[in-house]
Amino acid sequence: LQHHPLLFQDLIIFIAQLQCKLLDIHVLLDYIEFVHPLLRTPPSHPLSVNGNWMGCFTKSTEVCEALYFAGVPIWLVCSEAYISLTMNVVHSVGLTYPDEISRATYMENGVAKPFP
């Protein structure tokens, strides 16, 4: 690190950004290989959910149904009034905001500093 032109904090940020980009590439390749073919020719019944995928949130019931049939973990975000009687709701979840938990961990004198 003595010969590296970046500060230690800058190096950590650079590595975090690199990891983020590599995860983006990995996700895109998974989407192209597994999900996109299933969206183009949907199966007749829902596939089992891939536990390795984080999944996604959507407000569109059409997107929710397509991804559900493709085996993608999916969360439909909507008001209870918009849920039809024919929709299969496995778990109803209220939104929580862990602001105090996340921010308190990284605050120093009222300033967020997530890196050592």
Side-chain angles (χ1 to χ4, degrees), residues 49 54-58 60 63-65 67-68 72-76:
V49 174
M54 187 170 78
C56 61
F57 296 88
T58 183
S60 168
V63 170
C64 185
E65 184 176 5
L67 292 174
Y68 172 72
V72 177
I74 184 83
W75 289 267
L76 179 64

Side-chain angles (χ1 to χ4, degrees), residues 94-116:
L95 295 177
T96 58
Y97 301 95
D99 288 339
E100 299 83 28
I101 298 170
S102 301
R103 290 185 185 156
T105 306
Y106 301 111
M107 295 295 273
E108 290 180 20
N109 299 329
V111 178
K113 293 190 175 186
F115 302 107

Side-chain angles (χ1 to χ4, degrees), residues 36-110:
H36 190 261
L38 292 171
L39 294 177
R40 292 185 67 199
T41 56
S44 59
H45 63 283
L47 301 178
S48 60
V49 174
N50 186 335
N52 294 327
W53 293 339
M54 187 170 78
C56 61
F57 296 88
T58 183
K59 291 183 177 182
S60 168
T61 55
E62 293 82 17
V63 170
C64 185
E65 184 176 5
L67 292 174
Y68 172 72
F69 271 82
V72 177
I74 184 83
W75 289 267
L76 179 64
V77 179
C78 67
S79 174
E80 193 174 336
Y82 296 110
I83 298 175
S84 68
L85 297 175
T86 60
M87 189 178 293
N88 182 16
V89 177
V90 179
H91 296 287
S92 178
V93 179
L95 295 177
T96 58
Y97 301 95
D99 288 339
E100 299 83 28
I101 298 170
S102 301
R103 290 185 185 156
T105 306
Y106 301 111
M107 295 295 273
E108 290 180 20
N109 299 329

Side-chain angles (χ1 to χ4, degrees), residues 8-28:
F8 182 69
Q9 243 180 347
D10 295 334
L11 185 60
I12 291 176
I13 292 171
F14 173 76
I15 291 171
Q17 289 173 340
L18 175 65
Q19 289 174 332
C20 184
K21 292 298 177 194
L22 291 174
L23 284 173
D24 285 346
I25 292 168
H26 180 71
V27 167
L28 181 61

